[in-house]
Amino acid sequence: MAELKVSAIREGTVIDHIPAGKGLEVIKILGLNRVNGGILLLAAHVPSKKLGRKDIVKVEGKFLSEEEVNKIALIAPNATVNIVRDYKVTEKFKVDVPEEITGILRCANPNCVSNHEYTTSRFYVVSKDPLKVRCHYCERTMEGEEILRNL
Ligand code: CTP
């Protein structure tokens, strides 16, 4: 099978092993669509040995920190982040679920204040695997499918 080449970057961050179809959401969660300057590359539905198909996001000229990238852990739990300098991968890390999740997830409790006022949602991670979170405002816990439905 012919291999599709996605061009290498000189300097910046490559987020690899994103589930196919989730690359655009990764870009939005990280606010990369609002960054001026560097080139942003999204490769979608790329064949992958591990995942079948995957998305890849490349950001030229910007080095994302582990903390920033961990925001995507809920939608891309197996993503790897590569820091590239002078065309070489100089650092590689896996995303990790952060201790607190703010602004990404909606609370499943329709009466929760975070669903009614201009409040940023906030959850504490009670367990990482399997993922279980607790709302800071109403203490409702969420896990499994319920988390995915409220992303
Ligand atoms: N990459 C890039 N530009 C570079 C170097 C690497 O865009 N100058 C990208 C590669 O295309 C790949 C990712 O960064 O998507 C990681 O590169 P590398 O570690 O060389 O690839 P693998 O060994 O296949 O990574 P892994 O084991 O994490 O799958």
Side-chain angles (χ1 to χ4, degrees):
M1 190 175 74
E3 202 182 315
L4 174 77
K5 290 279 178 221
V6 183
S7 56
I9 62 170
R10 187 173 69 81
E11 209 166 60
T13 308
V14 175
I15 308 171
D16 200 353
H17 305 296
I18 300 168
K22 299 286 180 189
L24 205 53
E25 256 178 272
V26 164
I27 288 172
K28 284 190 197 147
I29 289 176
L30 296 177
L32 298 173
N33 47 334
R34 296 191 303 269
V35 173
N36 293 320
I39 294 169
L40 183 62
L41 291 165
L42 166 62
H45 302 278
V46 177
S48 151
K49 290 186 197 90
K50 288 184 218 161
L51 299 174
R53 299 257 166 183
K54 65 174 180 181
D55 284 8
I56 308 173
V57 169
K58 303 190 184 196
V59 203
E60 262 275 3
K62 192 168 162 64
F63 302 111
L64 297 172
S65 70
E66 284 192 50
E67 200 189 356
E68 277 177 279
V69 173
N70 284 346
K71 287 188 191 168
I72 67 167
L74 297 186
I75 59 159
N78 300 311
T80 44
V81 182
N82 302 274
I83 302 296
V84 175
R85 291 176 213 271
D86 197 17
Y87 287 102
K88 290 186 195 69
V89 175
T90 55
E91 281 170 65
K92 189 187 279 278
F93 50 85
K94 285 194 72 82
V95 304
D96 186 21
V97 178
E99 302 292 313
E100 270 187 51
I101 296 161
T102 48
I104 294 165
L105 195 60
R106 270 183 311 274
C107 183
N109 171 8
N111 298 319
C112 178
V113 67
S114 67
N115 286 319
H116 294 283
E117 286 172 21
Y118 291 103
T119 316
T120 306
S121 72
R122 186 168 165 198
F123 296 87
Y124 302 108
V125 174
V126 181
S127 151
K128 285 190 181 182
D129 193 14
L131 185 62
K132 187 172 175 182
V133 300
R134 190 179 69 243
C135 178
H136 165 75
Y137 298 98
C138 72
E139 303 202 324
R140 167 82 137 86
T141 56
M142 291 164 65
E143 54 194 310
E145 272 296 304
E146 195 166 45
I147 291 179
L148 297 179
R149 276 201 307 274
N150 285 286
L151 274 173

